[in-house]
Amino acid sequence: MSDIRTNEEEGKKSLNFIEVFVEKDLAEGKNGGRIQTRFPPEPNGYLHIGHAKAICLDFGIAEKYNGICNLRFDDTNPVKEDVEYVDSIMEDIKWLGFHWNEVYYASDYFQQLYDFAVALIKTDKAYIDELSAEEIARQKGTPTQAGENSPYRNRPVEESLDLFRRMNEGEFEEGRMTLRAKIDMASPNMHFRDPIIYRIIKHPHHRTGTTWKVYPMYDFAHGESDYFEGVTHSLCTLEFEVHRPLYDYFIDSLKTDDYRPRQIEFNRLNLTYTVMSKRKLLRLVKEGLVNGWDDPRMPTICGFRRRGYTPQSIRNFVDKIGYTKYDGVVDMALLEHAVREDLNATSTRVSGVINPVKLILTNYPEEQVEMMEAVNNPEDPESGSHEIAFTRELYIERDDFMEEAAKNFFRLAPDKEVRLKSAYIVKCTGCKKNNNGEIEEIYAECDFATKSGMPESSRKVKGTLHWVSASHSIPAEVRLYDRLFTSENPSEEKDKDFTELLNPDSLQVLTNCRVEAFLKDARPYDHFQFQRIGYFNVDPDSTGGKLVFNRTVSLKDTWTKVKDKA
RNA sequence: UGUCUCAUGGUGUAAUGGUAGCACUGCAGAUUUUGGUUCUGCCUGUCAAGGUUCGAAUCCUUGUGAGACAACCA
């Protein structure tokens, strides 16, 4: 009986508040039962994980309710925009595994928007203002104080019409005049205080070139674009909440039928130890503080890709954090858990020795080579196995040996036994140090009866070490990434320049690492779990036999636990 | 001294008037040829005060706290 209840509960996953709205609209038969969303980035930077959250929602809602989702570039400000960004945005959406119905550009609607603006002027709902930016700011008032009317507010319609036309013909310099909607300078909502809807920009547009000299502002372009396309649910982040009345106002002035798009706001993603502002990310790139937009320390989608995150792990993460109207900060641990969960199930286990020291098996024949069978992934019985060469001289992790073992250390130490993963149990007999007191070689004896697969191999020993053969392993470069920022919430540290919060140790490059020969055939973005260390992926920089790995994420606290206890 | 929005463990969320649940984190323990994985257990929560109700996280009132809005950005 309890089984039946469990099944019922599992099948009924709770809806987020947006899905509740959507289902209600559907139940009420709004828009003829049609569902249409859009993902509307401005092509002025690369997509980051915050966008991934919006993408999952926009495309996810469409998919769930048999609707469509279009990609629309909100390209109304030519000064900041570029085709480079258009291309990267499309690539990143595809990588996440989503498919848009159509690609649109707000710039496709410049003529329609211009015509709409002219119509507003003709009905005396817009006028050309000649106040400067400073003067407009001054007469706009403050949130708690009403604004004043512009002296140009009651300019004759014909005059505004004429000036608007001449503005677009390039007769006036940038900033000389603007087109403002005539609404209410005393409105408690600042956005209703005669918002600017068109300004002069002479910078060529990446798609329309120099055709236009006036460009619509966001508030004037966004809702109208939604309307032109037939969007039913226009999902955006919380900071646009105050814009919604204006969004509705313009659409009401435009619409001629029952259809109307509906704006719904959700909480933007904030992650600990991360800045998400495009402006700041652009600065990191421009000032060379990181190696480009796809630097694995960046919170960009391409950065995560290069770091070795899988699309599925990002989607699972977004699924876990949900959509609400509460502005919080998500712990990075949640993202990292999603990655480990996905990679644990799929990545091939290999041996990589990050900080090698030689281990010599004094009773093992000098020239002998045994091929040991290494399981590819114990989580996946279908994944098979590969071979790894075992010889007299091996490399093991320097941290896996202690001359005087601490209480909770159960790896290699004089007179102690450990298992060499997939091979033999060995007993440490001593070590050799150089003049500086550093350990140069460790000696051990092999217990030949304990080879993996043999009856004696079931003997229990406390520790299991990963290793590679000194003569068969290949050198590699390993890049260990830490948090880019030292502050848990760099976006909140308002007094500081955020670059002061950069973590100088955020990138460590290790070049004397040794990895098993199996990896020489690995291809860029292949991901592996280095036994007991972490998840790594092959960096696309790996060329000409040089192998470069990025650490995607460490294994859960493996190393710190040991250090704390020792 | 404005308008709008929000408030559930340390974090992110669910419960849509009917037993406050899930995930992450943390801490214990079991299993383990990865100190990984897996499994088990534990810690920790409805911002406050009133009201409505048989019954309130949920509805109402007041208070408190947080965020957004004063770009010719989106």
Side-chain angles (χ1 to χ4, degrees):
Chain A
M1 213 148 83
S2 63
D3 284 341
I4 293 168
R5 186 178 301 138
T6 314
N7 289 340
E8 277 173 2
E9 280 165 7
E10 276 175 3
K12 195 170 63 182
K13 198 195 166 206
S14 61
L15 304 177
N16 64 45
F17 80 100
I18 297 164
E19 292 166 333
V20 171
F21 282 146
V22 168
E23 295 199 357
K24 197 161 167 257
D25 288 348
L26 241 24
E28 290 171 6
K30 281 189 186 166
N31 302 316
R34 205 168 49 79
I35 297 296
Q36 184 172 332
T37 59
R38 99 270 91 112
F39 176 62
E42 183 188 13
N44 68 345
Y46 282 63
L47 259 27
H48 54 62
I49 188 147
H51 293 109
K53 177 173 174 178
I55 289 169
C56 290
L57 181 66
D58 289 326
F59 287 92
I61 290 277
E63 202 168 296
K64 179 166 181 179
Y65 296 101
N66 296 314
I68 56 174
C69 178
N70 295 313
L71 170 61
R72 180 177 75 233
F73 290 99
D74 239 342
D75 55 350
T76 55
N77 184 2
V79 179
K80 292 180 169 182
E81 297 153 7
D82 196 276
V83 284
E84 174 195 355
Y85 301 127
V86 171
D87 295 341
S88 73
I89 287 168
M90 295 201 282
E91 190 188 337
D92 288 345
I93 296 171
K94 282 190 270 187
W95 180 72
L96 281 174
F98 291 104
H99 309 279
W100 53 81
N101 183 60
E102 295 284 349
V103 180
Y104 294 125
Y105 295 81
S107 50
D108 292 338
Y109 312 127
F110 280 169
Q111 186 61 52
Q112 286 170 85
L113 291 165
Y114 183 88
D115 294 344
F116 179 41
V118 167
L120 283 184
I121 299 172
K122 283 183 176 163
T123 52
D124 199 27
K125 284 157 96 176
Y127 61 96
I128 298 291
D129 197 353
E130 291 178 53
L131 253 28
S132 70
E134 299 73 42
E135 287 166 324
I136 288 179
R138 212 175 309 128
Q139 55 91 252
K140 202 154 201 170
T142 69
T144 56
Q145 244 178 345
E148 303 159 12
N149 286 347
S150 164
Y152 301 97
R153 197 171 200 262
N154 290 317
R155 183 196 288 283
V157 166
E158 287 310 317
E159 204 175 301
S160 283
L161 240 25
D162 180 56
L163 286 171
F164 190 43
R165 180 180 54 77
R166 287 157 61 193
M167 273 168 71
N168 192 38
E169 283 168 358
E171 184 173 333
F172 308 113
E173 289 310 301
E174 288 186 12
R176 174 76 183 76
M177 51 185 69
T178 57
L179 180 67
R180 297 180 73 180
K182 191 187 286 189
I183 310 180
D184 177 10
M185 289 305 290
S187 170
N189 183 339
M190 295 294 290
H191 297 279
F192 270 59
R193 322 247 262 231
D194 287 12
I196 292 170
I197 56 178
Y198 263 93
R199 77 290 209 193
I200 303 169
I201 297 175
K202 298 285 177 76
H203 192 281
H205 188 278
H206 65 101
R207 292 189 74 241
T208 60
T210 54
T211 309
W212 299 90
K213 304 290 187 295
V214 291
Y215 290 88
M217 299 283 290
Y218 166 83
D219 281 313
F220 193 68
H222 199 95
E224 287 79 331
S225 302
D226 285 346
Y227 180 81
F228 296 147
E229 289 171 10
V231 168
T232 58
H233 297 268
S234 184
L235 313 175
C236 62
T237 47
L238 244 25
E239 67 268 27
F240 291 100
E241 220 154 24
V242 218
H243 293 249
R244 195 188 335 133
L246 191 55
Y247 177 96
D248 291 336
Y249 171 87
F250 285 129
I251 288 171
D252 284 342
S253 313
L254 183 64
K255 80 187 190 85
T256 54
D257 50 19
D258 281 344
Y259 154 68
R260 81 176 306 168
R262 172 182 187 182
Q263 174 177 311
I264 303 170
E265 310 85 9
F266 61 91
N267 59 338
R268 122 189 333 271
L269 170 63
N270 298 305
L271 257 189
T272 53
Y273 298 100
T274 310
V275 301
M276 216 74 92
S277 135
K278 268 198 218 171
R279 208 190 81 246
K280 288 178 180 169
L281 296 179
L282 179 65
R283 210 180 129 194
L284 289 173
V285 174
K286 284 263 157 76
E287 293 182 15
L289 298 165
V290 295
N291 303 315
W293 286 98
D294 69 342
D295 186 301
R297 293 165 295 180
M298 292 281 274
T300 49
I301 292 175
C302 55
F304 282 121
R305 171 168 64 231
R306 186 152 192 181
R307 175 89 173 247
Y309 280 49
T310 55
Q312 195 57 50
S313 65
I314 292 176
R315 292 174 62 156
N316 290 348
F317 165 71
V318 168
D319 200 48
K320 280 175 210 279
I321 59 174
Y323 300 88
T324 66
K325 292 178 88 71
Y326 176 73
D327 235 329
V329 185
V330 176
D331 194 332
M332 180 70 95
L334 214 51
L335 210 209
E336 294 184 341
H337 172 261
V339 178
R340 288 192 193 101
E341 192 180 38
D342 187 42
L343 259 27
N344 175 52
T346 55
S347 58
T348 298
R349 271 58 170 172
V350 295
S351 294
V353 179
I354 300 298
N355 186 10
V357 65
K358 214 167 237 189
L359 172 68
I360 298 174
L361 303 174
T362 49
N363 62 343
Y364 197 86
E366 298 246 4
E367 299 303 322
Q368 186 168 315
V369 179
E370 278 180 278
M371 297 312 288
M372 301 300 191
E373 183 184 15
V375 171
N376 282 340
N377 185 353
E379 307 298 318
D380 177 10
E382 307 283 294
S383 65
S385 62
H386 64 275
E387 287 189 323
I388 175 169
F390 186 87
T391 53
R392 174 186 163 95
E393 294 196 3
L394 307 169
Y395 287 116
I396 62 167
E397 214 68 63
R398 195 167 281 276
D399 291 6
D400 282 348
F401 175 78
M402 277 183 98
E403 213 182 349
E404 285 167 44
K407 37 198 173 308
N408 285 312
F409 184 83
F410 48 84
R411 275 133 45 196
L412 204 55
D415 294 326
K416 290 214 172 183
E417 278 191 324
V418 292
R419 170 173 302 280
L420 297 177
K421 176 83 183 168
S422 315
Y424 299 96
I425 292 174
V426 299
K427 185 175 191 176
C428 179
T429 52
C431 65
K432 183 177 102 184
K433 289 194 255 188
N434 67 15
N435 295 336
N436 298 327
E438 291 156 358
I439 290 159
E440 235 168 31
E441 285 175 349
I442 301 164
Y443 305 109
E445 284 179 359
C446 219
D447 181 345
F448 292 102
T450 60
K451 182 176 177 180
S452 286
M454 304 289 280
E456 280 289 301
S457 72
S458 57
R459 218 174 92 209
K460 301 289 176 204
V461 286
K462 271 227 160 186
T464 302
L465 305 189
H466 57 277
W467 49 270
V468 292
S469 158
S471 49
H472 294 75
S473 59
I474 52 179
E477 183 175 309
V478 162
R479 296 176 186 161
L480 303 178
Y481 297 98
D482 201 349
R483 293 168 176 143
L484 223 206
F485 294 95
T486 53
S487 165
E488 185 172 344
N489 199 341
S491 300
E492 287 293 296
E493 306 251 5
K494 284 177 175 132
D495 300 337
K496 286 193 179 133
D497 181 331
F498 78 105
T499 59
E500 288 173 34
L501 301 168
L502 283 173
N503 174 12
D505 302 320
S506 62
L507 170 56
Q508 236 188 101
V509 179
L510 309 175
T511 48
N512 65 336
C513 318
R514 307 289 300 190
V515 298
E516 60 179 273
F518 174 67
L519 288 164
K520 71 178 185 304
D521 298 322
R523 287 169 316 200
Y525 297 111
D526 280 355
H527 53 255
F528 299 96
Q529 188 196 92
F530 284 19
Q531 309 269 6
R532 273 208 10 254
I533 300 172
Y535 296 98
F536 290 78
N537 90 319
V538 180
D539 191 274
D541 268 6
S542 302
T543 47
K546 182 180 137 194
L547 259 179
V548 182
F549 292 95
N550 295 322
R551 183 169 68 186
T552 309
V553 66
S554 63
L555 247 39
K556 198 175 166 187
D557 277 346
T558 304
W559 295 84
T560 47
K561 255 186 206 164
V562 177
K563 275 178 200 155
D564 288 350
K565 288 187 177 176

